[in-house]
Amino acid sequence: MKRLLLPLIPFLCLSCNPSDKEYKDYSKEVIITGKVLNSDFYPQEKDLTLIVPFFRDQETKYVVPIAEDGSFSFHFSPYAKLRNVQISKYADHLFVSPGDSLHVEIDFKNILNPKISGDAEKRNQEINTFAQSGRYYIEDYLIRRDLEPEAFETELQQEYQLRQERRQEFLDTYKPDEEIRQYTDKLLKIDYYRILIDYLSTRIWQNKDISRYNEQEIFAKADSLFEGEIIPSNIFKLTETISSFITCQIYKVKKEKTTFDDFVAYPTGKNIKQYLYAASISRSLVSNDTTLFSSRQKQLDSIVHIPVLSQVLHSAYQNKKDFLKNPRTVSNYMLYGNYSDMPGLKVDMDFMKPVYEIMDKYKGKVIYLDFWTTACSPCLGEMEPLKKLRKEFSPEDVVMVSICAGGPRKTWDDLVKRLDLQQPGIDCLYQTDFADDKSLIKILNRLELKGYPHYLLLNREGIIVDYGTVVRPSDPRTKQKINSLL
């Protein structure tokens, strides 16, 4: 059978070996200062959030207060020669390099047009023209995944060619520097491979043939996009798309869930492997599980060389270790909105009252919260371990609160009865008994809930000392952690 060839990207470097690559130190801080004008137009806005892209739900976020005079400032290391960051809701496309100093003026009466000045003023004006208007760049391909291969390929090639023509118009008009030329070129190629590999994943799930496509050729041609000193944010999305493809392929063959070692061993390019490895390690750190990083650190350092991955992972690992040693600052921010450098400042968070009520009700006890949904198999799989864990401690010392955050009420009622969850020391709450819909969403976001099940462990002083999936009932370390709080 004929295999698909990909002639439109033959010029990518196919021999890049990250182990031979000497990456520069890109840790020199970027400083973004700014001022909010007409702040009384949105008086509820008390802070700003800078988002540094990473894998989904794993972005680095810096939250700073808006001062009385409207000023604010961010300091961070980009770990790349050029990358984009955003001030959430107000400046979606900020392009920075190590050592840059930018000033961003945000007018709450005209939030779609922030004014950017400073070291990279011209570059930011150019890239915003390219990325924000929709004339030169549209990220998503609106190509149906149910098309047969020949029809899909025709649409893909036509759409890609159109995007290249729009980019060329931008280059001819604005004549940007070489780094912007590289960035925009890389941006379009990443989008191309995202749609192609996502299409293959869809066909695998539908049990349709993909032998027309040469998987290893596709990975080989995409690999140099992952080599890294210029980092478009969509490279992390492409990593997730490739991760999903590997998951489909492994399940198709083994009928088993993909493991960490499956991702490491899968025959992708060496640069792609760095991202896949980093994504897996990062997911564990999001759940406060530092054991995967510590047990794999030697392997990690031998595989992952790209600064935007290695530096961020090492920093995240250290932050998690620091949190587990001294959780008060992070707990205060999650529960009350305190800023670590301004402990007297609080954000108005009435939506957190349901959490405060639980804390007041069980004040002086260790509190273990379990957030789950009726359709979550891993959640239900933890219910028997939850009951066993309950029996290990006196209800006078430890209380467990089981909060169903999704699913029909009747299904919840049936599960509570079938699983015999209503026991002394286990407080079972349905979502509408816990909080209204709007408050629930805000609570879950505030508590960094990225998926289900999700657990929080609070000590007798009401401090969140651990959270995520690492403190699940079936993990022997959870019993040890609770014991250490008594």
Side-chain angles (χ1 to χ4, degrees):
M1 182 176 291
K2 181 180 70 173
R3 289 185 179 272
L4 173 68
L5 298 179
L6 302 175
L8 58 87
I9 310 182
F11 42 81
L12 297 177
C13 170
L14 305 184
S15 60
C16 302
N17 187 337
S19 63
D20 298 331
K21 174 76 174 176
E22 290 293 333
Y23 289 101
K24 295 180 181 178
D25 180 8
Y26 292 121
S27 60
K28 189 174 182 181
E29 280 194 333
V30 171
I31 300 174
I32 298 179
T33 60
K35 191 159 189 174
V36 172
L37 306 179
N38 297 306
S39 58
D40 56 342
F41 201 73
Y42 292 113
Q44 73 278 11
E45 294 294 303
K46 304 296 184 183
D47 55 38
L48 296 174
T49 302
L50 179 82
I51 300 175
V52 182
F54 208 55
F55 303 108
R56 185 175 56 244
D57 297 327
Q58 300 164 51
E59 302 89 349
T60 302
K61 296 181 180 180
Y62 300 90
V63 183
V64 300
I66 302 171
E68 290 186 6
D69 65 355
S71 63
F72 62 88
S73 65
F74 296 98
H75 300 249
F76 64 98
S77 297
Y79 301 124
K81 185 177 183 180
L82 175 68
R83 70 180 312 188
N84 59 303
V85 300
Q86 65 180 132
I87 298 176
S88 181
K89 297 186 290 187
Y90 303 117
D92 289 338
H93 304 282
L94 293 175
F95 287 79
V96 297
S97 295
D100 276 355
S101 179
L102 301 183
H103 186 82
V104 182
E105 186 177 278
I106 300 171
D107 188 342
F108 275 5
K109 286 187 176 180
N110 185 22
I111 59 176
L112 297 180
N113 296 289
K115 295 181 180 179
I116 303 166
S117 58
D119 293 340
E121 180 177 351
K122 180 176 182 294
R123 172 180 291 170
N124 271 279
Q125 290 173 347
E126 290 171 347
I127 203 66
N128 269 276
T129 299
F130 180 78
Q132 190 162 314
S133 66
R135 176 182 176 185
Y136 297 116
Y137 174 66
I138 300 173
E139 181 177 2
D140 294 321
Y141 280 72
L142 300 179
I143 302 177
R144 287 167 32 211
R145 307 302 194 272
D146 61 347
L147 293 175
E148 289 302 309
E150 289 189 1
F152 171 81
E153 291 155 23
T154 299
E155 287 200 26
L156 177 59
Q157 301 295 343
Q158 290 174 346
E159 181 65 23
Y160 181 78
Q161 185 60 39
L162 177 62
R163 289 164 186 249
Q164 285 286 14
E165 291 170 2
R166 286 200 294 257
R167 173 178 173 270
Q168 189 59 51
E169 180 187 346
F170 165 77
L171 298 179
D172 293 341
T173 302
Y174 293 94
K175 297 177 174 54
D177 63 26
E178 181 59 28
E179 289 181 350
I180 294 298
R181 298 176 73 91
Q182 290 179 33
Y183 185 93
T184 55
D185 183 49
K186 198 170 185 179
L187 200 67
L188 297 189
K189 291 186 172 79
I190 291 170
D191 290 340
Y192 171 89
Y193 279 105
R194 278 181 60 206
I195 182 69
L196 173 61
I197 295 171
D198 183 66
Y199 175 72
L200 298 182
S201 297
T202 301
R203 289 188 67 81
I204 292 171
W205 279 125
Q206 296 173 345
N207 292 316
K208 293 183 178 179
D209 179 44
I210 64 166
S211 61
R212 173 186 180 89
Y213 300 86
N214 187 327
E215 174 187 328
Q216 293 311 307
E217 178 188 343
I218 291 172
F219 284 145
K221 288 184 175 180
D223 191 58
S224 69
L225 295 172
F226 289 81
E227 185 185 11
E229 297 170 310
I230 293 180
I231 309 291
S233 60
N234 61 349
I235 195 67
F236 301 107
K237 295 179 181 179
L238 178 55
T239 304
E240 290 154 6
T241 301
I242 292 174
S243 177
S244 296
F245 173 83
I246 293 171
T247 298
C248 294
Q249 287 286 57
I250 296 293
Y251 187 79
K252 179 182 178 181
V253 175
K254 299 168 62 175
K255 303 299 182 185
E256 294 177 358
K257 184 178 178 180
T258 314
T259 67
F260 177 82
D261 288 322
D262 286 332
F263 286 115
V264 175
Y266 204 85
T268 59
K270 292 185 178 181
N271 293 304
I272 293 174
K273 191 180 296 294
Q274 292 191 61
Y275 275 81
L276 290 172
Y277 194 105
S280 297
I281 292 285
S282 183
R283 280 192 293 269
S284 70
L285 291 174
V286 166
S287 298
N288 290 331
D289 184 355
T290 58
T291 57
L292 182 60
F293 182 102
S294 59
S295 65
R296 300 275 186 149
Q297 185 167 354
K298 187 175 181 180
Q299 184 187 44
L300 166 68
D301 292 339
S302 70
I303 292 176
V304 180
H305 305 274
I306 297 173
V308 79
L309 302 175
S310 60
Q311 297 290 344
V312 171
L313 288 179
H314 279 82
S315 178
Y317 173 65
Q318 188 59 51
N319 288 341
K320 292 300 182 181
K321 285 182 64 179
D322 291 345
F323 162 73
L324 295 171
K325 288 180 181 178
N326 183 20
R328 183 181 294 274
T329 298
V330 174
S331 176
N332 281 350
Y333 179 72
M334 292 173 70
L335 291 172
Y336 308 113
N338 284 358
Y339 295 90
S340 58
D341 57 346
M342 301 182 68
L345 180 64
K346 287 193 175 184
V347 176
D348 182 12
M349 297 200 305
D350 287 343
F351 63 87
M352 287 292 287
K353 285 181 178 178
V355 177
Y356 303 153
E357 289 171 358
I358 289 175
M359 294 171 66
D360 288 341
K361 181 178 179 180
Y362 299 113
K363 189 174 182 179
K365 296 184 179 182
V366 172
I367 303 175
Y368 183 73
L369 279 77
D370 170 15
F371 289 91
W372 62 286
T373 70
T374 60
C376 169
S377 297
C379 301
L380 302 181
E382 291 289 341
M383 293 309 181
E384 285 302 317
L386 178 70
K387 291 189 293 183
K388 290 180 181 178
L389 186 65
R390 166 70 278 168
K391 293 177 182 179
E392 296 288 337
F393 307 99
S394 166
E396 298 300 315
D397 295 320
V398 179
V399 64
M400 296 182 174
V401 183
S402 171
I403 301 171
C404 179
R409 180 156 201 145
K410 184 179 184 307
T411 304
W412 174 76
D413 281 329
D414 293 342
L415 285 170
V416 168
K417 292 176 183 176
R418 179 164 63 84
L419 298 172
D420 192 23
L421 290 180
Q422 287 283 17
Q423 299 190 8
I426 300 181
D427 192 355
C428 294
L429 299 175
Y430 185 65
Q431 58 189 50
T432 53
D433 299 327
F434 172 63
D436 62 77
D437 290 343
K438 289 184 179 179
S439 293
L440 179 62
I441 293 172
K442 291 180 179 179
I443 289 169
L444 300 182
N445 288 336
R446 193 71 196 182
L447 296 178
E448 297 290 326
L449 196 150
K450 308 299 184 185
Y452 299 99
H454 186 89
Y455 304 94
L456 273 77
L457 182 60
L458 287 76
N459 66 13
R460 292 184 187 272
E461 289 74 44
I463 297 171
I464 299 173
V465 296
D466 213 336
Y467 62 89
T469 57
V470 69
V471 282
R472 60 191 182 275
S474 61
D475 191 322
R477 292 172 296 180
T478 302
K479 178 182 174 181
Q480 298 171 9
K481 289 175 183 176
I482 295 176
N483 269 322
S484 71
L485 303 177
L486 300 177

